Amino acid sequence: MKAKLQELIEEMKNVVIYSNDDIENFRLKYLSKKGVINDFVSQFRDIDPSQKKEIGQLLNTVKQFAQNKWEEACLNISSKSLNNESEKIDFTLPSEPDFSGSRHPLSIIENRIIGIFRQLGFVLHEGPEIEDDWHNFSALNFPKNHPARDMQDTFFIAEEIALRTHTSSVQVRLMEKQSPPIRAIMPGRVYRNEAVSARANCFFHQIEGIYIDKKVSFKDLKQTLYIFVQQLFGEKIQVRFRPSYFPFTEPSAEMDISCQLCHGEGCNVCKHSGWLEILGCGMIDPNVLKMNGINPDEYSGFAFGMGVERIAMLQFDVKDLRTYFNNDSRFLSQFKNY
Ligand code: PHE
């Protein structure tokens, strides 16, 4: 053991420390609980008592050596970085004014969207984020074991209980307690079991709208959404509807707007198509009305749902969805004037 301890000192002498990473590696290897020196301390208990004094002293020397070398390196490296020109602090500069806080970009967009629909006579409604199977799926015409349920990867909390995957669940809650005419706008946070990336997150925000009355038609849906995007993006905006599928609407569509960045010429954001998808919509399936106690022979309605993050990305030219949730004040302070 004596020889090994002497070798260890030599070995430590030869370690060169240049960076903060080197410092940390040195600490982990020699000084931490699972480090080499602690191994020797454990073995020390079992050595012959006659040797204890000598080995004990040597062990202390080794420990002290490692500790000193580490402390010295810490001091050196931190004074080195202070000497670095780019990080030199000029203490005579006036201080920067404190950032006093502002609305989050997602709240700004959400409020704008709600404001537009309120002017059109839509009333605000909210529902719970933890939902049962009935409100999130079954009452919206997703039969049990139907593959359409896989369109939205669900976080289950218990059997039949999940974090809502869309705000369409709030439609159901509204239909069950109110009879038509119903005109409502329903914002909220939704959750999906997706890998987090620049374009997808495991939670995001949606705004849902419904209008149920006598003789509501697809024409009303198109006109309402057209007025909405004109107010949000400006009068020159163009829209197009593409056929789509949702279990709870028939017919279903997705609405695209002309790309705001290249004005239809083609750019990276619109993947050179000139169009951007911003929402899903359709006429509420008669079966959904029936399941929720509304007579489909008497009433019809439309519904739509959009993602707030996506619209905010277009309005503020944000490239990575994750920046919304990093709480970086350099990002957030840009929205002071909205
Ligand atoms: N709930 C749908 C989704 O999350 C969007 C939608 C809402 C589509 C209402 C049609 C009508 O993808």
Side-chain angles (χ1 to χ4, degrees):
M1 187 151 169
K2 190 174 158 189
K4 279 193 190 146
L5 284 170
Q6 275 159 348
E7 254 170 47
L8 187 58
I9 293 203
E10 288 311 309
E11 178 188 312
M12 288 193 290
K13 274 186 190 159
N14 289 329
V15 177
V16 193
I17 301 181
Y18 279 125
S19 65
N20 283 325
D21 281 349
D22 294 345
I23 294 183
E24 180 58 0
N25 289 339
F26 184 89
R27 190 188 66 81
L28 287 174
K29 181 160 180 200
Y30 298 105
L31 286 166
S32 67
K33 259 198 187 146
K34 291 189 180 148
V36 185
I37 296 179
N38 236 0
D39 277 346
F40 281 109
V41 175
S42 319
Q43 291 166 29
F44 179 71
R45 281 184 216 116
D46 306 327
I47 62 170
D48 186 27
S50 65
Q51 286 194 309
K52 275 213 162 150
K53 193 171 170 207
E54 195 189 354
I55 302 269
Q57 275 171 355
L58 189 55
L59 195 53
N60 273 337
T61 315
V62 170
K63 246 199 227 170
Q64 203 52 53
F65 180 87
Q67 186 69 27
N68 288 348
K69 177 154 178 141
W70 180 73
E71 278 171 9
E72 209 173 290
C74 287
L75 278 176
N76 271 340
I77 301 275
S78 65
S79 66
K80 227 189 252 164
S81 60
L82 269 185
N83 286 334
N84 187 333
E85 275 306 312
S86 64
E87 293 193 16
K88 235 181 200 169
I89 300 170
D90 180 352
F91 292 102
T92 64
L93 282 175
S95 62
E96 286 200 12
D98 263 356
F99 170 43
S100 58
S102 63
R103 277 199 192 286
H104 192 277
L106 294 179
S107 308
I108 295 169
I109 292 301
E110 191 173 290
N111 288 344
R112 260 191 218 168
I113 295 172
I114 292 170
I116 296 171
F117 281 104
R118 278 197 151 160
Q119 282 180 351
L120 295 173
F122 286 72
V123 178
L124 190 78
H125 262 277
E126 285 179 307
E129 292 182 12
I130 298 176
E131 265 300 3
D132 50 35
D133 182 277
W134 172 255
H135 291 91
N136 198 78
F137 291 122
S138 296
L140 289 162
N141 221 13
F142 287 85
K144 284 257 151 78
N145 303 323
H146 193 280
R149 290 190 179 217
D150 294 340
M151 282 163 76
Q152 303 171 349
D153 294 321
T154 312
F155 283 119
F156 285 97
I157 293 176
E159 209 178 322
E160 308 271 304
I161 304 286
L163 295 175
R164 67 177 172 199
T165 57
H166 52 184
T167 42
S168 301
S169 57
V170 193
Q171 290 185 32
V172 178
R173 295 204 166 259
L174 199 55
M175 284 189 269
E176 65 192 10
K177 69 168 186 240
Q178 197 182 320
S179 40
I182 302 173
R183 205 178 324 178
I185 191 85
M186 299 156 276
R189 186 176 278 198
V190 302
Y191 301 82
R192 291 187 197 174
N193 191 357
E194 289 193 31
V196 178
S197 72
R199 312 214 112 239
N201 202 355
C202 52
F203 69 88
F204 55 98
H205 299 79
Q206 282 190 332
I207 297 184
E208 186 95 4
I210 51 167
Y211 178 30
I212 306 173
D213 204 345
K214 289 181 175 145
K215 297 202 177 90
V216 175
S217 70
F218 203 89
K219 186 180 73 184
D220 300 308
L221 167 64
K222 282 175 84 172
Q223 189 58 27
T224 307
L225 293 177
Y226 186 46
I227 290 180
F228 158 64
V229 289
Q230 275 194 325
Q231 300 233 353
L232 189 63
F233 294 102
E235 306 238 313
K236 289 208 183 102
I237 193 98
Q238 288 182 298
V239 298
R240 73 174 184 187
F241 288 80
R242 277 179 295 106
S244 183
Y245 172 77
F246 301 103
F248 37 94
T249 48
E250 180 61 35
S252 306
E254 265 156 336
M255 188 174 88
D256 296 345
I257 54 168
S258 46
C259 180
Q260 292 300 286
L261 297 172
C262 64
H263 299 286
E265 276 171 25
C267 65
N268 280 341
V269 175
C270 63
K271 299 200 186 98
H272 301 281
S273 70
W275 295 98
L276 291 161
E277 179 201 319
I278 64 158
L279 56 81
C281 59
M283 299 307 293
I284 301 175
D285 193 304
N287 202 26
V288 172
L289 292 175
K290 199 154 64 188
M291 273 195 283
N292 292 290
I294 295 172
N295 180 358
D297 296 329
E298 199 180 344
Y299 292 104
S300 55
F302 66 68
F304 57 85
M306 64 189 100
V308 181
E309 278 78 352
R310 200 174 157 71
I311 295 180
M313 278 169 109
L314 295 177
Q315 291 250 297
F316 298 131
D317 198 13
V318 170
K319 299 265 171 356
D320 188 328
L321 198 102
R322 291 167 289 197
T323 40
Y324 287 129
F325 307 109
N326 286 344
N327 279 336
D328 185 334
S329 62
R330 289 170 303 178
F331 171 72
L332 296 172
S333 63
Q334 298 176 87
F335 302 95
K336 259 190 282 207
N337 301 323
Y338 284 98

